């Protein structure tokens, strides 16, 4: 076969192959690199909850909000945050707390007020006055479990609706400074002892425990976390409490 003829045949054959390749490609949708359309993202809405939520806050001065406005205390701030998350839900709040209350005082008040066992959420923060008043630790060991059991009963018998908060550390306030270095160390050691017992009890019994003590231990470095009385948490500190427990509360309310 002559070279010129071979070249002609080769050109014709190549053209034929290119034509077939073009026809096959035209039957498919061309996709250029980087132009792939990502799958649509679906924003998962907050799971609906009951149309009416009853919330009970049990405690002492840290719950009643000593030296801050009524809407500044953490139960009220929590209620406000929940209302923003669930605008279609009505929230009611009942507070059983007073400055100076020990575990025994709170148990007595619950018995006297005899609230109904129809709460969808119960928070408990108690024990600092047992420590401050120098009560024997064995009293807390006996009465704290009684309060948790009572809180569960008030929460419709459902432990997932109960949240226990740790005890703040007042050693890190201007009031605590009056006790001197040794006194402040003693306060912190005893607060740790109370909180460790409470956390272990809750963990063993399937009750949610949220530690907020570390927040209050910034009180000497960030004085905005302490109220005007130089002892109790401020509105800002309570806001940080709420931020920390809000996820747990949502999980409890959404079942």
């Amino acid at each position: 076969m002559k070279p010129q003829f071979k070249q002609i045949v080769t050109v014709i054959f190549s053209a034929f192959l290119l034509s077939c390749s073009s026809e096959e490609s035209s039957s498919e949708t061309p996709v250029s690199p980087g132009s792939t359309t990502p799958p649509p993202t679906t924003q998962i809405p907050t799971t609906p909850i009951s149309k009416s939520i009853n919330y009970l806050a049990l405690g002492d001065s840290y719950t009643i909000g000593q030296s801050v406005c009524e809407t500044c205390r953490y139960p009220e701030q929590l209620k406000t945050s929940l209302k923003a998350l669930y605008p279609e839900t009505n929230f009611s709040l009942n507070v059983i707390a007073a400055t100076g209350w020990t575990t025994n005082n709170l148990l007595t008040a619950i018995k006297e007020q005899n609230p109904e066992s129809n709460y969808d959420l119960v928070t408990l923060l108690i024990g600092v006055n047992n420590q401050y008043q120098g009560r024997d630790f064995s009293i807390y060991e006996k009465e704290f479990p009684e309060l948790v059991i009572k809180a569960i009963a008030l929460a419709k018998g459902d432990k997932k609706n109960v949240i226990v908060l740790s005890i703040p550390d007042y050693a890190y306030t201007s009031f605590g400074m009056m006790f001197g270095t040794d006194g402040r160390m003693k306060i912190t050691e005893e607060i740790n002892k109370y909180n460790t017992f409470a956390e272990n009890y809750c963990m063993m019994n399937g009750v949610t425990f949220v530690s907020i003590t570390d927040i209050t231990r910034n009180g000497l470095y960030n004085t905005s976390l302490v109220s005007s009385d130089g002892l109790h948490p401020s509105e800002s500190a309570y806001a940080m409490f709420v931020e920390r427990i809000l996820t747990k509360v949502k999980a409890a309310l959404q079942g």
Side-chain angles (χ1 to χ4, degrees):
M1 184 178 290
K2 294 181 178 181
Q4 291 181 345
F5 182 75
K6 286 183 178 180
Q7 291 177 357
I8 294 171
V9 171
T10 300
V11 171
I12 294 172
F13 185 68
S14 298
F16 176 76
L17 290 177
L18 288 171
S19 175
C20 292
S21 175
S22 177
E23 288 176 1
E24 290 176 358
S25 298
S26 64
S27 65
E28 298 179 1
T29 302
V31 179
S32 59
S35 65
T36 303
T37 303
T41 56
T42 303
Q43 185 175 3
I44 302 175
T46 304
T47 304
I49 60 175
S50 173
K51 289 293 184 181
S52 179
I53 295 294
N54 296 321
Y55 168 30
L56 173 64
L58 303 172
D60 48 37
S61 59
Y62 293 134
T63 299
I64 201 67
Q66 181 69 34
S67 299
V68 297
C69 68
E70 182 174 333
T71 57
C72 300
R73 56 191 182 184
Y74 89 82
E76 290 285 355
Q77 289 198 49
L78 177 57
K79 177 185 172 184
T80 299
S81 295
L82 290 171
K83 185 62 180 175
L85 285 171
Y86 308 101
E88 302 301 320
T89 300
N90 294 317
F91 290 89
S92 65
L93 170 62
N94 183 22
V95 177
I96 300 180
T99 299
W101 275 4
T102 63
T103 48
N104 183 262
N105 294 135
L106 182 55
L107 282 167
T108 299
I110 294 172
K111 183 178 180 180
E112 290 176 349
Q113 296 189 32
N114 192 28
E116 295 185 29
S117 302
N118 66 340
Y119 288 94
D120 305 284
L121 174 67
V122 178
T123 57
L124 174 65
L125 198 175
I126 194 70
V128 70
N129 292 299
N130 289 62
Q131 183 278 329
Y132 179 71
Q133 296 176 22
R135 302 295 177 90
D136 195 288
F137 185 69
S138 62
I139 297 174
Y140 188 80
E141 291 178 302
K142 174 181 179 295
E143 295 181 343
F144 174 78
E146 292 177 7
L147 282 167
V148 174
I149 292 170
K150 186 62 178 176
I152 293 172
L154 293 171
K156 301 178 179 179
D158 193 343
K159 65 177 65 176
K160 75 173 179 60
N161 293 337
V162 175
I163 295 179
V164 176
L165 279 69
S166 67
I167 303 170
D169 190 346
Y170 65 91
Y172 292 80
T173 65
S174 56
F175 177 84
M177 290 290 288
M178 295 190 299
F179 292 88
T181 302
D182 291 342
R184 290 179 60 236
M185 289 179 61
K186 183 174 184 290
I187 291 169
T188 295
E189 289 173 359
E190 292 180 354
I191 293 295
N192 285 341
K193 183 178 181 180
Y194 277 78
N195 282 332
T196 297
F197 175 81
E199 182 174 14
N200 288 340
Y201 178 84
C202 289
M203 182 173 61
M204 291 176 60
N205 291 276
V207 175
T208 300
F209 180 90
V210 179
S211 179
I212 49 79
T213 308
D214 61 307
I215 295 172
T216 62
R217 284 177 175 159
N218 291 314
L220 290 176
Y221 316 106
N222 183 359
T223 56
S224 68
L225 296 176
V226 183
S227 67
S228 59
D229 67 4
L231 172 59
H232 294 92
S234 67
E235 178 182 3
S236 298
Y238 284 136
M240 296 174 73
F241 289 12
V242 171
E243 182 179 1
R244 188 164 292 184
I245 69 176
L246 190 57
T247 300
K248 303 291 185 182
V249 172
K250 287 171 60 180
L253 295 180
Q254 292 176 2

